Amino acid sequence: MENNIFNKILMIDDDEDLAFIISDMLESYGYQVTWADSSERAFELLECNTYHLILLDINLPDADGFEICTELRRTSTTPVIFASARTSETDRITGFDIGGDDYLPKPFSQNELMLKAEQCKKRLSSLSQGEIVLMQMAPPKRF
């Protein structure tokens, strides 16, 4: 990783072994990873910390990841990547519909996770440097 800007990740997952493996890998690339094993702990951390990426499981002991993402989107634009064993089309579409930025089906490759984390970092870096993206939209159709 080139620099330590936009490197704080909150991982919300109740699987401690997986959290340790993923945290260790991300930290070896210079990311700072904080782990929450429940929605309650995640919201406690979010109240007093800023994160640049949230890795979010759907199946948690006290809420589901969809509820967490919905609540996050009320106040935050932090990128959310769902990382879940729930891989149905309905779950993936729901994840995107409620504001998720990406969806990684478990088990996933560490290389794929790194690529997605780096893409989020580049996007945040570009936006912070004042990059303006203009989209040309077609005029609305009149009926």
Side-chain angles (χ1 to χ4, degrees), residues 126-127 130-136:
S126 294
L127 292 174
E131 177 183 284
I132 299 173
V133 179
L134 299 175
M135 295 177 59
Q136 185 173 3

Side-chain angles (χ1 to χ4, degrees), residues 9-85:
I9 297 174
L10 176 60
M11 182 182 342
I12 308 169
D13 196 312
D14 63 335
D15 184 335
E16 186 174 359
D17 293 333
L18 179 63
F20 177 78
I21 291 167
I22 297 304
S23 293
D24 192 49
M25 185 269 302
L26 288 168
E27 288 169 355
S28 75
Y29 284 92
Y31 287 94
Q32 297 174 18
V33 180
T34 303
W35 172 56
D37 63 351
S38 67
S39 67
E40 181 180 353
R41 179 68 181 137
F43 284 112
E44 287 172 1
L45 290 165
L46 287 162
E47 284 179 14
C48 55
N49 296 286
T50 299
Y51 296 97
H52 305 113
L53 174 62
I54 297 172
L55 294 177
L56 179 57
D57 190 13
I58 296 172
N59 297 322
L60 295 167
D62 59 344
D64 75 26
F66 296 141
E67 294 168 348
I68 294 170
C69 186
T70 299
E71 187 63 31
L72 281 170
R73 285 298 171 244
R74 294 178 204 264
T75 60
S76 174
T77 60
T78 301
V80 173
I81 297 176
F82 284 100
S84 180

Side-chain angles (χ1 to χ4, degrees), residues 2-14:
E2 298 149 7
N3 58 46
N4 288 332
I5 266 186
F6 305 115
N7 69 338
K8 292 180 69 178
I9 297 174
L10 176 60
M11 182 182 342
I12 308 169
D13 196 312
D14 63 335

